[in-house]
Each structure stands twice: as C-alpha cells, then as structure tokens.
Amino acid sequence: MFKHLRKWFVTRFFGHSRRRARLVSKDGRCNIEFGNVEAQSRLIFFVDIWTTVLDLKWRYKMTIFITAFLGSWFFFGLLWYVVAYVHKDLPEFHPPANHTPCVEHINGLTSAFLFSLETQVTIGYGFRCVTEQCGTAIFLLIFQSILGVIINSFMCGAILAKISRPKKRAKTITFSKNAVISKRGGKLCLLIRVANLRKSLLIGSHIYGKLLRTTITPEGETIILDQININFVVDAGNENLFFISPLTIYHVIDHTSPFFHMAAETLPQQDFELVVFLDGTVEATSATCQVRTSYVPEEVLWGYRFAPIVSKTKEGKYRVDFHNFSKTVEVETPHCAMCLYNEKDARAKMKRGYDNPNFVLSEVNETDDTKM
C-alpha cells in the first residue's frame, strides 16, 4: 500500500518536471517550429495563397474575410465619390436642373459607399443607378462587378473548404490512452486500441507506426528523431480495415522489432516516442484524412491487456462500452521478449531430445563360446 502511495505522490508532484518532450501530441498536433527561415522563403507562402489561407486559424481567417469585403466596398465607394466629384454631380457644385449625373442620387461619401455596397453584392434597391452620361462610371461598374465575384468566390470557397476539411473527421477517431505489452497468440505483442466514434466508415483504412529516437551511427553522427518503421496489424491484416467497431491493433515483438531488447524493468528508462498513424477515406466526402497520436515510455504498460468492451444485448444488437475503452487488466507476461523466445527454444529442444556430449560409444566384440 505504501508503495502505491509513494508512486502516486511522486507522479502527482514531480511528474510534471520529468515530462518528456513530444514531437506529436496525443491529439495529433506536431510540436515543431522552424527558425532562421529566409525572407525569400517566406514569400513562397504567398505564392500558394490558397493553402496559406486554409491553414490560417479561424480568427485570422474571419479577419481577412471581413477586411476583404469592407475594404473593397470602401475603396470603390471612394472611386464613386471621385467620379461624382470630377463630374460635378455633388450638391455642393449646385448643378443645373437639366444636369444628368454619372450616378443618380450620390450626394456625398456615405451615399457613394452605399452605392458601392449595392453594386458589389447585387442588392439593386433601384434608387441609385448609373446613367449613360459618362463612360468612366460604366467601366468602373463593370470592373467592380467582376472583382466582387472574384472576392466572393475566393472567400466563400475558403470558408467552405475550411469547414469541410477532413481534419475535423479525424477528431472522431480516438486511440487508447496507453499502449500495452502482453502475449497474444503465443507471441509477445505491443497492443493499441483505436475506435471510430461515428457510424460512417473510413474506406481503405491503413494503419502503421514510426518509432522516433536518437541514434548514433557507426561514423559517430548523432541523428535526432531517427525514424524506424513499426508494423501494426489486426487479425485480418493492416489494410482495408472493417472499422465498424473498436479494433485492437498489435505489433509483434520479434527479433526484428526495436522493442526486442527492452524489458519490463528497462522500459521506463528508454528514450523514444511511438507515433501511430491511421489513414483512410471519409465515406461521405471521399476526402483522405490522417489521424495521429503518440506514446512515450511512461504510457506503455508492460504486463497488461485491454478490458473487453464489446457485448451482445438480449435484442441481438452489439453494444460498445466506451467506459472501458482505455481500461487495462494486469496479466501474466514474460518480462522480456528474449526470455519468451529462449523459453520456446528450450521447449522445442526438449521435444526433439538433445545429445549428451559426455556420452562415449564403445564397441564390444562378441565371442562365440560354442565350438563345433
């Protein structure tokens, strides 16, 4: 009991100071920043303006949205005011009764702004209108109409694309809080549970992993965030998953696995980050999305398995209890993969038998005591 209390006390009060740095957070965001980027390289983002606008946060996007419309309305309002001023249509010039203005009923900057607004958003109240008196007003009307359509198409398309991005669909894919290591099918495996919270499927789902750690090459070069492929499978493979209910994916810890030389005692002292990816196509929109999460050594539990969450009701329906989604149960597990495989080899040798190196076969000459 005192052991568990001490562990809780250390984790509660000192766990934050020993928290490991992550490249990928639990919700899939990448913890990385780029420094000393040249100014010329930053201009490339404006060349691909569409992707830049889509990647902006909502507060910046809405600021650009409002500024684009209000700025264009006010800018063309100034131009309409200049046209009326040059043509002497304003009341301050006291035009004669038979004077035909370029734009009817523009009496100042406010009325010019209202006419610009009506023109660009095609409201058409019918009170202010362009006459055939001057070609400058006709050209300005055509130019504002075309530019207004371009602004409307770009900004409305950006808002719609932002809303319909498959990144939001990825929010309804959840991974277990911890990964576990236990025996499965007679093999030592690392297991992770993943669930789709929507009833709509992900088509062509594919799951894989990357182990990130710092390695030193034989030449003495230190590689930070060196990536090692981790193969995850379910019983039916790792592609085209039938993702209708939560799945338990696993990685077999064999001689080719980077976890083969780890043990239950040395796992917390390891320095790695396991990043898990799930790619799939959204059934409703046919857009490809990717879900990411990561696990550090403190989140990998050795000697545990996941509690069952799928049951069948009396009505014949299958029920998923997400209360036990990340719940684990302690099970008997070898403390290292090497021990498991050495035990298997020993059992196999016992079945086959083995040679005694101290056994010496001596030949005995038989003599026939019976003489004819």
Side-chain angles (χ1 to χ4, degrees):
M1 178 178 179
F2 292 102
K3 180 180 179 181
H4 293 286
L5 289 176
R6 183 178 60 183
K7 182 178 180 181
W8 177 86
F9 181 82
V10 172
T11 305
R12 177 66 177 84
F13 293 97
F14 300 99
H16 298 286
S17 60
R18 297 185 303 173
R19 183 175 297 175
R20 297 176 187 262
R22 291 178 180 268
L23 177 65
V24 180
S25 62
K26 297 296 288 185
D27 57 356
R29 291 177 296 178
C30 296
N31 179 28
I32 192 170
E33 62 179 17
F34 301 99
N36 299 325
V37 180
E38 298 180 356
Q40 184 178 1
S41 300
R42 294 183 181 274
L43 295 177
I44 300 177
F45 291 96
F46 292 97
V47 176
D48 187 14
I49 187 64
W50 178 253
T51 305
T52 302
V53 172
L54 289 183
D55 290 339
L56 289 176
K57 296 182 179 180
W58 274 109
R59 55 180 177 269
Y60 303 123
K61 186 183 293 293
M62 295 307 299
T63 301
I64 295 176
F65 183 86
I66 296 173
T67 303
F69 282 103
L70 289 179
S72 62
W73 296 340
F74 185 75
F75 173 74
F76 281 101
L78 290 176
L79 295 182
W80 287 115
Y81 179 79
V82 171
V83 170
Y85 184 86
V86 172
H87 199 256
K88 299 184 185 306
D89 298 335
L90 299 177
E92 60 193 49
F93 294 105
H94 304 287
N98 60 350
H99 178 76
T100 302
C102 289
V103 181
E104 295 283 355
H105 304 292
I106 287 186
N107 303 320
L109 185 59
T110 303
S111 57
F113 174 79
L114 292 176
F115 179 72
S116 173
L117 173 62
E118 296 172 14
T119 301
Q120 187 164 329
V121 300
T122 64
I123 293 178
Y125 289 125
F127 184 69
R128 300 178 181 87
C129 61
V130 177
T131 64
E132 62 212 18
Q133 184 64 26
C134 52
T136 305
I138 297 175
F139 174 78
L140 184 59
L141 176 66
I142 296 174
F143 182 72
Q144 184 178 4
S145 300
I146 296 175
L147 186 61
V149 171
I150 295 175
I151 295 176
N152 289 339
S153 302
F154 184 85
M155 298 309 302
C156 294
I159 295 296
L160 180 61
K162 181 76 171 179
I163 296 175
S164 60
R165 293 185 77 178
K167 181 186 295 186
K168 301 303 179 183
R169 177 63 176 90
K171 299 296 183 181
T172 56
I173 305 296
T174 180
F175 288 87
S176 57
K177 182 180 178 181
N178 299 98
V180 297
I181 295 179
S182 61
K183 292 178 63 176
R184 187 182 183 94
K187 301 177 181 179
L188 192 64
C189 301
L190 184 143
L191 301 98
I192 298 172
R193 179 171 278 174
V194 58
N196 178 17
L197 300 181
R198 289 186 179 272
K199 291 186 178 180
S200 58
L201 301 179
L202 283 180
I203 303 173
S205 301
H206 173 66
I207 194 162
Y208 57 97
K210 299 286 185 180
L211 187 70
L212 309 179
R213 62 183 181 183
T214 301
T215 59
I216 300 178
T217 63
E219 294 77 16
E221 179 185 3
T222 301
I223 302 177
I224 301 177
L225 298 180
D226 188 22
Q227 301 183 16
I228 302 175
N229 290 327
I230 302 295
N231 297 321
F232 283 97
V233 296
V234 294
D235 293 334
N238 64 342
E239 295 184 358
N240 299 323
L241 305 179
F242 185 47
F243 210 3
I244 192 63
S245 63
L247 297 176
T248 300
I249 60 174
Y250 60 90
H251 163 72
V252 179
I253 304 178
D254 53 12
H255 296 81
T256 61
S257 173
F259 298 97
F260 183 75
H261 297 286
M262 299 183 188
E265 298 81 8
T266 61
L267 180 63
Q269 286 77 36
Q270 299 293 326
D271 185 15
F272 67 83
E273 181 178 354
L274 176 61
V275 184
V276 184
F277 303 86
L278 174 63
D279 299 338
T281 303
V282 181
E283 186 180 27
T285 62
S286 299
T288 304
C289 71
Q290 183 183 84
V291 194
R292 299 179 295 268
T293 192
S294 68
Y295 299 92
V296 293
E298 289 81 3
E299 297 171 343
V300 180
L301 306 179
W302 195 295
Y304 289 82
R305 64 172 176 83
F306 291 111
I309 60 174
V310 180
S311 61
K312 193 172 183 179
T313 62
K314 296 180 180 179
E315 294 78 12
K317 294 183 178 181
Y318 292 93
R319 182 176 183 271
V320 179
D321 185 10
F322 279 96
H323 178 72
N324 295 333
F325 180 73
S326 295
K327 186 177 180 180
T328 57
V329 180
E330 189 173 4
V331 293
E332 183 179 355
T333 306
H335 75 285
C336 65
M338 190 177 299
C339 300
L340 176 63
Y341 285 99
N342 290 340
E343 181 182 354
K344 287 185 176 181
D345 294 341
R347 291 179 180 177
K349 289 181 179 180
M350 290 180 63
K351 292 181 180 180
R352 294 194 307 262
Y354 57 92
D355 295 332
N356 187 354
N358 296 324
F359 179 78
V360 178
L361 177 62
S362 58
E363 295 182 359
V364 178
N365 294 326
E366 295 183 358
T367 58
D368 190 2
D369 295 337
T370 306
K371 293 182 179 181
M372 296 296 295

